[in-house]
Amino acid sequence: MEINVMEILFFIAILWIIVIVWKINRRVTGIKYILDQLSKQNGVPENPINDELRKLISQGEAIKAEKIARKTLGLSMLEGMQYVDDLKNGKNS
């Protein structure tokens, strides 16, 4: 079994990309926390779409709520699901 230099470089590049993405994710999480704190301190109202999403959730239309959240807020599928789950659990998104 022979491993050539290109395979090693490819593996190192993939690892490097994973580390960079992980660091960016941590930064974004920190920035989101800071923005949440600032919006609470300054009395910034929550997104008006949340009332409509809560209504859909209470009617058992969570999937429709996720689609609307994704379309309105420009979220990915995973982010939309998390957003709706946060609203279900009483967290302000």
Side-chain angles (χ1 to χ4, degrees):
M1 193 155 103
E2 222 175 282
I3 300 177
N4 64 29
V5 175
M6 291 302 290
E7 289 173 340
I8 293 171
L9 290 175
F10 181 74
F11 181 72
I12 291 170
I14 294 296
L15 286 177
W16 180 74
I17 291 170
I18 290 170
V19 168
I20 296 297
V21 168
W22 179 73
K23 286 181 180 180
I24 291 171
N25 188 33
R26 288 191 54 191
R27 286 182 186 169
V28 168
T29 302
I31 291 169
K32 184 181 181 315
Y33 176 78
I34 291 168
L35 285 173
D36 288 343
Q37 296 302 313
L38 287 172
S39 66
K40 287 177 186 175
Q41 286 177 351
N42 295 313
V44 176
E46 71 175 6
N47 197 322
I49 194 72
N50 289 356
D51 293 332
E52 180 183 349
L53 297 176
R54 284 188 186 103
K55 183 178 176 184
L56 288 169
I57 292 167
S58 69
Q59 296 172 350
E61 299 276 347
I63 294 174
K64 188 174 181 181
E66 290 172 17
K67 288 180 183 179
I68 291 172
R70 289 175 50 211
K71 183 178 179 184
T72 305
L73 303 172
L75 303 174
S76 69
M77 184 179 287
L78 183 61
E79 292 167 333
M81 290 170 57
Q82 184 63 50
Y83 194 88
V84 170
D85 285 342
D86 286 348
L87 289 176
K88 280 182 194 176
N89 297 326
K91 297 179 186 175
N92 289 339
S93 295

